[in-house]
Amino acid sequence: MFGKPAHGAENVIGAATLIMAAALGMAPFASLIWFQLIVAAAAGGAWVALLSTLNMAMQMRAPDAILGRCLAIYQALAFGALAGGAYLAGLIADLSSLKTAAVGASIWLSFSFSMRFLAPMPARGEGRVIP
């Protein structure tokens, strides 16, 4: 009906992860307000693209029979990880500095980009049992 998407979910997630990592790495060192606004806009766009694409991919790839449970687990893990990561970043910022926390988060995101090669997302319909 809609045809083949121009960009796969894996590519959108990978690009958004790298943009967010670059924005986090540059933000604490930006001294000009216009540059900070550009970095914040790029980070915000990457954030929206990442979360909406992950949500869409989860809905498209989960089996219909257990879609609700899969989404519940996904949402609990995603938002739990966001809360845990925010706590950890705040703790690092308190113990060291904001720059250390932001650069550490940037490095962590860059590392998480490699997960697309170590554990790629399943293809549509992969793992579904057809009765």
Side-chain angles (χ1 to χ4, degrees):
M1 177 175 164
F2 294 107
K4 186 174 180 181
H7 306 288
E10 190 107 22
N11 292 334
V12 173
I13 291 168
T17 300
L18 290 179
I19 291 168
M20 188 65 144
L24 273 171
M26 289 188 288
F29 302 103
S31 58
L32 301 172
I33 189 70
W34 62 268
F35 186 68
Q36 290 175 344
L37 290 172
I38 292 170
V39 168
W47 178 268
V48 169
L50 183 63
L51 286 180
S52 61
T53 304
L54 281 172
N55 195 9
M56 177 273 312
M58 182 67 195
Q59 290 182 39
M60 297 295 292
R61 287 166 171 82
D64 292 337
I66 58 168
L67 179 59
R69 282 174 262 175
C70 290
L71 286 173
I73 292 168
Y74 159 72
Q75 292 290 332
L77 288 173
F79 289 104
L82 287 171
Y87 174 78
L88 184 60
L91 184 64
I92 292 170
D94 280 347
L95 296 176
S96 182
S97 70
L98 180 60
K99 288 183 180 181
T100 303
V103 170
S106 177
I107 292 168
W108 180 257
L109 271 174
S110 298
F111 167 74
S112 72
F113 176 77
S114 67
M115 291 305 292
R116 69 180 294 177
F117 304 108
L118 299 173
M121 291 175 53
R124 282 189 189 173
E126 183 177 335
R128 289 190 181 201
V129 178
I130 300 172

